[in-house]
Each structure stands twice: as C-alpha cells, then as structure tokens.
Amino acid sequence: MRLGLIGFGNIAGTLFDLLAKTLDTPLAHLCVVTRPEFAAETEVRLRADFGSLAKDISVAGDAEALLAKKPHLVVECAGHAAVVAHVPPVLRAGTDVIIVSIGALSDAALEADLRAAASAGGARLILPAGAVGGIDLLSALGAAGGLEVRYRGSKPPHAWSGTPAENTVDLANLTKATTFFTGNAREAARDFPKNANVAATLALAGAGFEATHVELVADPSASGNVHEYSVVSPLAKYSMRIENLPSAGNAKTSVSTVYSVLREIRNRIGPVAI
C-alpha cells in the first residue's frame, strides 16, 4: 500500500506506531501532508521515528503534492480546516479518503461538496466508527426510517478546555457531573469540533443531524471519555455505553479512535475485511 496522511499530530503518531507493530510488511510509500513551514522538521521526525514503517517516505505541502505520490488511500487526521482544504481534491482525483474529523460534515455545504467530489472521482469517503460502537446496526436500522437517537458524551473537565464549555461552567472547580450543552448533533459538532465527532458519526449513520439529540457533560469523576446513546426504531431498540481511555497527549480524543482507523487500513490490506 501507498498511504497518505493529512496531519502529523497525536493521532498520526499513534497510528504509525500501531501500523509498525501490526503490518506484516512495510508500506510501499508513506506521504504526510503538513504545513510548508513544518515540512523539514516533519520529514526528519518521520525518518527518525518511523523509518521502518515504509520503504519510502515523503512530505507534501498540499493535496496536489500528495496526489503526485499516487497514494492508494489517504487518512485525514488534522481537523476541520484540513478537510476543507485537502479532502475534496483528493476525492475528485479518485482516491479514497478516511476522515477522522467527521464533525466537519456538520457544515451542510461541505458535506455536499465532499459527496459531489467523491462521485465525480469515483472515490469513497470513508467514515470510521471512531470512538463509538454499534454504527453498523444504527446504519442498518436507518434504512427503515423512524429513528429516535439520543447521545450523551461525558469527559473530564480538562478535556473541554478551550471550548465554549468554559463560558458556561467553571471547569476547574466542578465537583459533580454538569451538563453544559443540550441540542442537536449539528450544533454540537459545529460548536465543539474537537470533542463531538461521535455526535456527527451517529447523525450521519442514523437519523440525521437535526434529529439526533445531544447532551455534553463535564464530569470530574470521569477517568476517560464516556459515550452513551440509545436508539429506538420500528425494528429494534438498543442502547450502548462505551468508556474510552483518552489518547496519550490529547484528552479530547479517545484512543479507540486511532484503532478504528487502523482497522480500516488493515481491512484494505488484508485478505479478509472485518
């Protein structure tokens, strides 16, 4: 596989570690998209820390340079702005893209643009399950319509630092679980772009952004990131609670998100897709 990565932060570094441990053979090529001012530093780090992961390594400053390396698959893990800047041209060129920043699709115009780009290029926009489970069942039930989906996301107070939650509650001095946001999935993903990707994933798989009810909670007793949701449909009812450990160095992201991306890559490489 020739693999492309958009971004070189915590998620990318953890993913590279996992790939190095689990792949039977090195990648044919690895190309990482980063800002031009970080290109030299990124290449040095890639070769020093992940030199054995791929037979060849390169760094690109934009989608055009990435596409010149002819990737078979591209993974976005750099945030909403990176989705806007880099993903549409990659899809239009016919290359499949896994996006981690699923909350970016809360922008209806961007979602339409991505769908059109994928259609024009004959490519697929792949939305991994990320930190939540049961997406396969939710998506299947969605075909019957009549869904009612309610989601509650709880994280330690410091995981909400730098978000609008700071304007609602005193995060540093909370003594009990406090709900600071109630609304729909589009509002949650828009206002909390680094914390509410799960809400967007559930919305896209099921009832849609406006019909998916969301509560966001700061909980000083939480040891990690807790995702709870319930589904009622004419065909079935189910509920799920997942307690995730945060990713090392980034409390906003559950480490299982990285493993979800790893699964997508391994399904592309291996003889059996699970």
Side-chain angles (χ1 to χ4, degrees):
M1 172 177 278
R2 300 177 67 84
L3 181 65
L5 260 288
I6 300 172
F8 189 45
N10 174 266
I11 291 177
T14 305
L15 178 63
F16 292 161
D17 279 333
L18 294 173
L19 285 171
K21 294 174 182 176
T22 59
L23 292 183
D24 294 329
T25 58
L27 297 168
H29 187 88
L30 173 64
C31 181
V32 173
V33 176
T34 188
R35 294 178 182 176
E37 61 266 31
F38 300 134
E41 175 188 350
T42 298
E43 185 163 2
V44 169
R45 286 181 57 202
L46 280 172
R47 295 189 181 280
D49 298 340
F50 307 106
S52 63
L53 178 56
K55 296 176 181 177
D56 191 22
I57 290 174
S58 62
V59 175
D62 54 28
E64 183 179 0
L66 169 63
L67 290 168
K69 300 300 181 181
K70 302 186 183 303
H72 299 135
L73 179 68
V74 171
V75 177
E76 173 281 319
C77 52
H80 292 200
V83 175
V84 175
H86 303 302
V87 173
V90 174
L91 291 171
R92 282 194 291 268
T95 301
D96 292 351
V97 180
I98 300 169
I99 69 165
V100 173
S101 306
I102 294 176
L105 274 69
S106 62
D107 181 332
L110 176 60
E111 181 187 356
D113 187 26
L114 293 175
R115 290 181 182 273
S119 179
R124 296 173 68 223
L125 179 65
I126 300 167
L127 311 180
V132 70
I135 296 301
D136 52 348
L137 179 57
L138 176 58
S139 181
L141 295 176
L147 284 178
E148 179 183 324
V149 182
R150 303 182 70 87
Y151 165 71
R152 177 182 173 93
S154 303
K155 298 182 181 183
H158 68 274
W160 300 105
S161 297
T163 77
E166 292 181 324
N167 302 325
T168 305
V169 295
D170 184 359
L171 294 174
N173 295 299
L174 282 182
T175 58
K176 62 180 181 179
T178 302
T179 300
F180 58 84
F181 172 88
T182 301
N184 64 44
R186 192 177 302 280
E187 295 165 338
R190 179 196 65 204
D191 296 342
F192 301 88
K194 295 182 179 181
N195 292 77
N197 282 310
V198 166
T201 301
L202 293 171
L204 288 161
F209 279 99
E210 274 71 31
T212 301
H213 179 82
V214 175
E215 293 182 4
L216 301 178
V217 181
D219 185 356
S221 66
S223 59
N225 302 334
V226 180
H227 304 289
E228 302 172 272
Y229 73 98
S230 63
V231 176
V232 177
S233 94
L235 305 180
K237 300 177 183 179
Y238 75 96
S239 59
M240 184 166 290
R241 174 185 170 92
I242 303 168
E243 298 183 20
N244 284 305
L245 291 177
S247 181
N250 184 1
K252 299 180 188 300
T253 300
S254 300
V255 69
S256 59
T257 297
V258 187
Y259 279 81
S260 178
V261 176
L262 174 69
R263 169 183 170 272
E264 295 287 353
I265 295 172
R266 293 179 64 183
N267 276 347
R268 293 291 291 262
I269 295 175
V272 179
I274 298 176

